[in-house]
Amino acid sequence: MKITVDFEECLKDSPRFRATIEEVEGDVCELESKLDKLVKLCIGMIDAGKAYNTANKQFVNGIRELAQQSTKDEVIESSLTKFAESLQEMINYHTILFDQAQRSIKTQLQTFVKEDLRKFKESKKQFDKVSEEKEAALTRNAQAPRNKQHEVEEATNILTATRKCFRHIVLDYVLQINVLQSKRRSEILKSMLSFMYAHLTFFHQGYDLFSELQPLMKQLGGQLDQLVVDAAKDKRDMEQKHSTIQQKDFSNDDTKLEYNVDAEKGIAMEGYLFKRASNAFKTWNRRWFSIQNNQLVYQKKFKDNPTVVVEDLRLCTVKHCEDVERRFCFEVVSPTNLDSGGESKEKPLKGESALQKVLAIPGNACCCDCGQPDPRWASINLGITLCIQCSGIHRSLGVHFSKVRSLTLDTWEPELLKLMCGLGNQVINDIYEARREELAARKPQPGDNRNEIEAYIKAKYVERRFVRRPSDEELRTKVVSLSKQEKRLSSSTEHLPPRPPPPTPKLRPASNASGKSVRSADSGIQNSAEGSKEMLANTPSTNSLADTDTLEAPPAAMPAVLPPPSPCKEVVFYEPKECSPGLQLYWAACACSLPEMAEALAHGAAVNWVNPDDEKRTPLIMAVQGGSLVTCEFLLQNAANVNQQDALGRAPLHHATILGHTGQVCLFLKRGANQNAADMEEKTPLSMAVEAANADIVTLLRLAKMNEEMREAEGYSPAGDETYQDIFQDFTQMASNDPDKLNRYQHYDAPKP
């Protein structure tokens, strides 16, 4: 709004003039606020435009890269290149537009605000100051007494001078106001008009650019219609070919290979075969074989150079492998080498075998939570079987409560299957439903509402509402009993004689109060009366997956002459001042008692509980001492930390290496154990295994290290190399099915603290 202030009116300094001045000042203040806001919005728009241009440039670069990738298709390459050039021109036009916006809006309006409005503010300050001085002079002149002529003259002189100064300043102030009101219109309109012309130029340039591009776009549109028709025709042809092939007889899934001597590139026949490695492990690996130029060659990947197996097949013959358990195996017999291939590969236990073994456990024939017969699912960390509905509810609880796996669709590692067979529905329900009848809680039945079953399962496993909490005295008694049981296991050992030629007689322990197999000779880190913190017992470790309730230990493969056994010291158990579920889990892990461990976890024991009175060892380390692979698997399934160290800096992998527990070493490496961790003596598991001359563990550790390095250097998949997987699978199967092969008598003297 334009406001003009009259010069004559300002000399009168009337109330009308003051009201006009006040109105003008308010208008100028609001104008300054609006201009500041517009400048800030312009800056934001310019910044956003620059960001848009940056993103647009990246998009155009992506189009160029796609064009370069499509060099085999001339139409796509030329079209995309032209489009990229046009879009790049539009980016340049956008850049010019934003530069013009910065000059016309931001720069011009900021100059107007900083210069013209600043002059107005300075004039206002002078006007306000002289107005106050004038008011003071008038007041003083009016108050001067009549009988004091000197004061009257002084007041009159001051008033005259002040009025003269006021008239001069107020005229300048009014002039500044009128000039500002006139200039604001021209500055604002000039700025906005320049900005609008910039837009006009931008759109004209864009129109001209795309007018030149329009013929090409119309041409491509016509070609595209034909491409759609051709694609539909190709689709029909491929569907017809697919239908024709599908109607063929596929009753025999084996692909029939034809031998073509005159084939292109000299390849007469090619296909997949399993090749047995020539190393000590005799692992089988699937490779692409081909017969070309009278040679038998194979390769793992397409870009790999073929490896020649047989130089000249014309000098060879083929015969069936009668001494290999696998089917379809044959040998290529040549004057210089022998090679064999096949079509099958052993797999971990899966399907009906796992189902039959798990359902044979008492109570497992029905769902653990609702009683539905013939369950097909399991919770591997709880060790129970479930129906499909309860398995879905368990899965919704999260893996920190229940890990669900199919009994028929998933593969089952031997140690996991042993874990399922060591617990079962009856054992777990005795723990998690101990107070159900006492609390008059109804157990779901097959066919009940899902919400009711879900509420019951959450109360059972999440809230643990039906678990019977032991009293302090009961818990103390249980801990003492487990520790004494561990003591009996430690003391029930005999020194084994040198192993005679086969057949080897089996060893029966002298005493086995707990009904479990003799533990590893190196299993105990015991507290003796003499204050010894560590000792090595005398019986070699089997560390197999054999049932823990067997009475016979498998025979040990030992050298002809044994080193002198270390003296066995009687274990002294110091009764703790306070007992906790963590302590129960600690001793139950050492005693290899899965039901006691499950009960301790149900009572709230932390799976990584640390015993401050025993060098900060964890239940997992004590499970290693106990020598049971299944106990370790149970703790790992319940989120035990495989790399947690004790006071000596030793993780479970260190202890398993010291004790010669090959199966446990294999298990920990599969679960991501850090084999590079060193204890307080700066010894890694590998250096310990080398010092103990344990060939199996050294092999496993070095293979794991090599696989890790290869995965980092060559980009292997997280699962690692096939040979590495095969070897670890062989060790796992050996620990389960043929533990005698893993027996090594290695005496490793652990460093004394």
Side-chain angles (χ1 to χ4, degrees), residues 262-278:
D262 301 325
E264 185 181 358
K265 297 181 181 180
I267 300 177
M269 181 181 290
E270 57 185 0
Y272 279 108
L273 291 173
F274 281 97
K275 175 185 177 297
R276 186 170 62 182
S278 58

Side-chain angles (χ1 to χ4, degrees), residues 170-223:
V170 74
L171 286 172
D172 290 345
Y173 187 39
V174 171
L175 176 63
Q176 186 67 35
I177 290 175
N178 290 328
V179 170
L180 180 65
Q181 293 295 336
S182 176
K183 193 174 182 180
R184 66 183 286 188
R185 289 181 295 170
S186 62
E187 290 293 332
I188 293 175
L189 290 177
K190 176 183 176 183
S191 174
M192 290 304 303
L193 187 61
S194 175
F195 183 61
M196 297 307 293
Y197 269 115
H199 272 82
L200 178 63
T201 303
F202 169 75
F203 285 109
H204 267 298
Q205 290 173 331
Y207 176 77
D208 294 340
L209 177 65
F210 279 91
S211 295
E212 296 176 359
L213 191 64
Q214 191 174 11
L216 175 62
M217 296 170 63
K218 288 183 178 179
Q219 179 184 354
L220 289 177
Q223 294 179 1

